[in-house]
Amino acid sequence: MRTPLIAANWKMNPAPAGALGTSSPYRTHAAVDVIVFPSFLDLKECLAAKLIAGPQFASPEEPGAHTGDVSMTMIKTLGCRYVLCGHSERRADHGETDADVAAQVIAALERGMHPVVCVGESQEQRKAGKEKSVVKKQLAGLPLESDITIAYEPVWAIGTGKTATPADAQEMHAYIRSLLPENRRNGTRILYGGSMKPENAEELLKQPDIDGGLVGGASLKPDDFGKIVEIAAAMQK
Ligand code: PGA
């Protein structure tokens, strides 16, 4: 039994109105784990409001001379338990490589944090039939025997309104699960990300190897996000 996890990736946006209030849909639910990934600016306020919040990136380096970065150690000290690693926008905008992402994941684990690691292929890679080999390579350097969460986010589905079909997503999720070591095969949660919204969440979350969602655009709309959480709650596997 894997408890569903629905995570909000607010990207470079302010916290949605009402997100910090008592009836916020971003609060953890009895049947569904809910996490928010705000910008660094909003992190402290989210934690103070008792949301489960983590950063969208943290540097594996120790605090020191790294202008513009925030270290995993500082994030841990702030009280975060979760951290997003290797989002495709970080890979594209900041040139993060698989090795960089692995270093972040290891640094998070060493500090007792839980990384949510993103993988996924581009449109060209899928067209060329390379989606599985791309994802396999992205996973290769990660400590898959550890307690981490994986988010499969096909790059072509992120923020585009295009979603992987439930069957294609399930196929990839099952493939990712097959690559996990035996000790983690049943326990590791694998989230789907890429234009998840209330209209498609049920079909996606119904798939046996899809354990939740990493939600971008729809996570900025509290009502839509709340609906996705309720759909996940109603679908307990
Ligand atoms: P999207 O973003 O839901 O807007 O496609 C998902 C993500 O980038 O994590």
Side-chain angles (χ1 to χ4, degrees):
M1 271 288 281
R2 296 179 293 271
T3 306
L5 167 57
I6 304 292
N9 178 8
W10 291 340
K11 309 193 180 188
M12 198 172 71
N13 294 288
L20 307 182
T22 43
S23 55
S24 161
Y26 304 97
R27 294 193 178 281
T28 259
H29 185 285
V32 181
D33 290 338
V34 178
I35 308 175
V36 296
F37 292 110
S39 78
F40 284 122
L41 287 185
D42 290 323
L43 207 42
K44 216 169 170 174
E45 253 192 315
C46 288
L47 292 170
K50 301 268 183 282
L51 300 189
I52 299 180
Q56 299 164 11
F57 157 81
S59 166
E61 300 292 339
E62 284 302 339
H66 298 284
T67 303
D69 276 353
V70 175
S71 83
M72 208 62 84
T73 304
M74 292 158 74
I75 288 300
K76 166 76 178 172
T77 307
L78 196 66
C80 296
R81 185 163 132 59
Y82 292 90
V83 54
L84 199 56
C85 298
H87 190 280
S88 62
E89 287 153 15
R90 298 284 319 170
R91 294 176 190 257
D93 296 352
H94 298 271
E96 288 185 15
T97 63
D98 291 341
D100 294 330
V101 176
Q104 294 165 29
V105 170
I106 290 163
L109 290 168
E110 282 173 356
R111 288 158 185 77
M113 294 174 69
H114 184 102
V116 177
V117 196
C118 303
V119 296
E121 81 285 358
S122 68
Q123 181 84 58
E124 297 67 45
Q125 290 163 333
R126 179 161 279 266
K127 274 203 184 124
K130 291 187 180 151
E131 65 275 11
K132 285 190 178 141
S133 60
V134 167
V135 167
K136 186 177 184 182
K137 185 169 163 288
Q138 290 171 332
L139 291 169
L142 298 176
L144 298 177
E145 69 290 352
S146 301
D147 184 17
I148 66 173
T149 295
I150 296 167
Y152 168 59
E153 297 206 304
V155 177
W156 49 270
I158 295 178
T160 57
K162 291 185 205 157
T163 318
T165 64
D168 282 350
Q170 165 57 25
E171 187 178 337
M172 181 61 90
H173 281 236
Y175 176 66
I176 292 171
R177 200 173 298 290
S178 77
L179 298 175
L180 300 178
E182 196 124 352
N183 71 323
R184 293 301 315 166
R185 203 162 292 158
N186 286 324
T188 295
R189 288 188 285 198
I190 308 175
L191 313 182
Y192 170 81
S195 300
M196 185 182 268
K197 43 188 181 268
E199 295 73 31
N200 59 29
E202 182 176 350
E203 280 306 307
L204 288 161
L205 295 171
K206 214 157 72 178
Q207 305 304 314
D209 288 296
I210 299 185
D211 305 316
L214 179 56
V215 187
S219 81
L220 294 170
K221 300 178 191 150
D223 288 350
D224 282 3
F225 187 76
K227 280 182 197 157
I228 295 173
V229 173
E230 290 303 334
I231 290 166
M235 309 218 21
Q236 287 278 18
K237 292 170 192 144

